[in-house]
Amino acid sequence: MTALLPSAARTASLAASRTAALTTARTTSAAAVAAALLAAADAWLPRVEYRPSSRWTGLLPTDEAAALVDPSLHDDLAAAQVWLLSWLPGQGTPLHDHGGSAGAFAVVGGVLTEEVVGGPVGAVREAATELWAGRVRPFGPHHVHRVTNRGTLPAVSVHAYTPRLSSMSTYALEGGVLLRTGTERAGVDW
């Protein structure tokens, strides 16, 4: 059927197929890295800190992460960026995206609540899911969410992004409309 499409439509169809395949590959890659680092958590958990004033975040250098995962994941890891996060009760993120990066996070300890925002323009809504220790949550490059520790115990998670984060935008949801409230850039704001 593709051969019957006009040239421009065929080109657009092929481009959409390649984009979908790349997104799936990046999401799968990030999920594999997050799952492998979840399994190796005992090796990196001692570096995690807890701050009463805000979430703690720490970048896990690629070479250190590579030493913890199966060599078959080294190519995926080379294209990724890995962050370790701790969440005391009540700590969370604002609504945000990942600047076009796909990713995944694994809950290592505790329980996190993810609120995902999506839907048609003018009818955007939120849906919440509790993510317990051991859960890996992959997402695509256009994912907008908020993550919060609503529990009574600290939580720890490991996050993998492909490609590496270059920016993150924050949002507010007002009357079914998602409004961008700011953008942070790697190397400038973090």
Side-chain angles (χ1 to χ4, degrees), residues 62 77-82 98-102 161-167 186 190:
T62 302
L77 188 57
Q81 183 179 56
V82 176
H98 304 95
S101 293
Y161 302 99
T162 57
R164 291 172 175 83
L165 292 177
S166 60
S167 67
W190 78 79

Side-chain angles (χ1 to χ4, degrees), residues 141-167:
H142 304 294
H143 192 66
V144 176
H145 69 166
R146 169 181 22 237
V147 180
T148 307
N149 180 353
R150 293 183 180 171
T152 58
L153 300 173
V156 174
S157 55
V158 57
H159 302 240
Y161 302 99
T162 57
R164 291 172 175 83
L165 292 177
S166 60
S167 67

